[in-house]
Amino acid sequence: MIPLEEARRRVLNGCRPMAPRELPIDEALGCVTAEAIVAGEAVPPFANTAMDGYAVHAADTTGASAEHPVKLRLCGTLAAGGAPDRPVGPGEALRIMTGAPFPAGADAVVIVEVTQPADGGESVLVQQPAHPGDHIRPAGEDIAAGQEVFPAGTVLGPGHLGVLASIGREKVAVVGRARVGVLSTGDELVEGAGALRPGQIRDSNRHTLLALLRQAGCDGVDLGVVGDSEEVIRGAMVRGIATCDALLTSGGVSMGEFDYVKKVLDELGEMTWMQVAIRPAKPLAFGTVDGRPVFGLPGNPVSSMVSFELFARPGLRRLMGYPVDTLDRPRVQAVADERLGRRPDGKLHLTRVVVTYEHDGRYHASSSGGQASNLLRAMALANGLALVPDGDGIPAGAGVEVLLLS
Ligand code: AMP
Ligand code: MG
């Protein structure tokens, strides 16, 4: 057996970032930038008003109050999208709406709430003094022309895409989402809802793995189910590798007589078969075929999910250019609300737990159910994997590190 960290090191070594490509910004959510983004223009592009009100000369409003308002002559109205056609002169006020360009001459905005129309709309009464700069948003306040807005290696979220749009970028160079094929292997597996013959079970792994890929920011490709035949597995892998950036298989990597996945992977490319000191998900076949990572995950439904979290997710995110600190799901320190039992066996146990954040300001964890690697429902109910080190388990009330799954 090898330690988890050694197995992860081997996996991450085989997952180098893919070549960058240009994507329309609306297709780039969750992708990692492959270029530093430099603004070609300022945001906002011109000084404008932050409030609905009047553009004035601040000096004209000195001493204004509700009892002694200052009267200014209205010289026009300017909406957002309009452009001022002349400067605002002394003693004048320009009615102005949020987002409208700030006119020359004036130096402050008086908000509409402290004014009153007068002279049948010819004038306005200002009831509070304004100060130069009040409610004016200067050009380039958010972003200056020529400024680097995001470095290469930025994970693009909704706000980033808005910023790209605001500086006039329609495309962005990113590493891109990985296309990842998912193949289930096993003679016993049945697709869909048809009747089960003796010895058959339904394939669940493809569905969980395709969903996990979507959560991880990958494009999953369904490669179906194949039986335990060396030729058939080889054919499916070769076809998958031809159209995908990476592959996930489940089943056929243990010590069974018909576990052909690791054999085929070894023939097709560089493969390392590992017995990792963890429970569940001890066996893992990882290899590269034509430089593309292939993860031979174990077949037990919980094992395949745990193996995905510990190996495939960080590996695939590295493939997609994610920074090192964003490869894994977050870890938190939690209090065990009950004993998380286990026996010494030289392995790190990943105990499925329900984690809650309580009023005491701490995370609390308790088992989500049976911990055998075939009990998928207890995995589905869990929102965390407690990292229970080798030994006799975590006593109730003690601290435990938890990988948050959602
Ligand atoms: P294996 O890793 O092929 O030895 O499979 C281990 C266990 O997982 C066996 O009980 C299999 O029937 C089960 N299994 C393998 N693949 C799947 C799958 N795609 N969906 C559900 N169970 C599976
Ligand atoms: Mg099998």
Side-chain angles (χ1 to χ4, degrees):
M1 287 197 300
I2 59 169
L4 174 60
E5 282 321 309
E6 168 62 16
R8 281 170 56 95
R9 201 186 54 74
R10 291 187 198 177
V11 166
L12 292 177
N13 257 337
C15 298
R16 299 299 162 99
M18 300 182 295
R21 57 185 146 129
E22 287 235 304
L23 281 185
I25 59 170
D26 291 329
E27 290 170 28
L29 179 65
C31 293
V32 180
T33 55
E35 55 168 338
I37 309 292
V38 177
E41 56 194 49
V43 181
F46 49 84
N48 64 95
T49 173
M51 300 291 282
D52 296 320
Y54 295 87
V56 301
H57 290 252
D60 289 343
T61 65
T62 306
S65 67
E67 298 78 47
H68 304 287
V70 169
K71 190 194 277 191
L72 299 174
R73 204 164 50 258
L74 205 60
C75 65
T77 298
L78 190 61
D85 51 9
R86 70 168 182 83
V88 175
E92 289 185 337
L94 176 70
R95 178 90 169 99
I96 192 170
M97 315 304 157
T98 304
F102 192 75
D107 63 3
V109 173
V110 173
I111 61 172
V112 74
E113 288 85 343
V114 300
T115 65
Q116 252 183 357
D119 301 338
E122 298 276 291
S123 310
V124 60
L125 296 175
V126 175
Q127 300 160 332
Q128 240 177 46
H131 307 282
D134 277 0
H135 308 299
I136 302 171
R137 305 192 283 211
E141 186 183 26
D142 191 5
I143 295 165
Q147 180 187 339
E148 178 181 304
V149 286
F150 308 125
T154 299
V155 183
L156 293 172
H160 297 91
L161 302 182
V163 167
L164 290 174
S166 77
I167 58 173
R169 289 288 299 260
E170 293 179 335
K171 291 183 169 177
V172 58
V174 294
V175 179
R177 270 182 288 281
R179 263 174 72 83
V180 184
V182 179
L183 181 69
S184 288
T185 73
D187 280 342
E188 73 279 31
L189 301 178
V190 172
E191 283 190 69
L196 296 175
R197 291 201 306 274
Q200 291 187 322
I201 60 165
R202 302 190 197 282
D203 170 23
S204 63
N205 289 352
R206 236 172 352 122
H207 303 280
T208 49
L209 291 171
L210 285 167
L212 286 167
L213 284 171
R214 197 176 317 155
Q215 278 190 342
C218 305
D219 289 332
V221 178
D222 187 352
L223 300 178
V225 179
V226 293
D228 291 309
S229 141
E230 223 179 296
E231 294 76 64
V232 175
I233 292 173
R234 184 182 298 111
M237 275 202 201
V238 167
R239 275 194 303 281
I241 276 297
T243 57
C244 296
D245 302 307
L247 289 189
L248 302 179
T249 67
S250 68
V253 294
S254 303
M255 307 285 274
E257 229 173 287
F258 308 104
D259 287 343
Y260 294 123
V261 168
K262 57 181 194 283
K263 181 159 189 273
V264 170
L265 188 48
D266 199 28
E267 284 165 17
L268 291 179
E270 305 267 309
M271 198 273 301
T272 135
W273 183 64
M274 295 173 261
Q275 297 270 70
V276 190
I278 56 174
R279 183 188 162 121
K282 182 171 75 161
L284 172 69
F286 173 76
T288 53
V289 179
D290 300 335
R292 289 157 195 212
V294 180
F295 297 83
L297 308 177
N300 269 306
V302 177
S303 306
S304 69
M305 288 185 77
V306 169
S307 195
F308 180 91
E309 292 295 342
L310 298 180
F311 303 110
R313 190 178 192 277
L316 293 170
R317 285 167 73 85
R318 178 157 153 78
L319 204 63
M320 297 189 292
Y322 278 79
V324 174
D325 58 341
T326 61
L327 296 181
D328 287 296
R329 307 238 204 198
R331 287 181 185 198
V332 297
Q333 194 65 27
V335 184
D337 274 353
E338 60 185 15
R339 184 175 121 76
L340 300 175
R342 57 160 294 169
R343 297 224 168 81
D345 59 4
K347 298 178 195 162
L348 170 74
H349 285 204
L350 297 126
T351 303
R352 279 119 271 158
V353 292
V354 175
V355 190
T356 53
Y357 188 70
E358 300 286 349
H359 292 303
D360 61 3
R362 298 192 294 179
Y363 287 95
H364 289 248
S366 51
S367 167
S368 68
Q371 297 293 323
S373 61
N374 58 321
L375 303 179
L376 185 54
R377 183 168 170 273
M379 177 72 185
L381 296 178
N383 64 346
L385 292 173
L387 305 163
V388 181
D390 195 20
D392 294 308
I394 309 280
V400 63
E401 200 175 7
V402 179
L403 190 70
L404 291 182
L405 298 179
S406 60

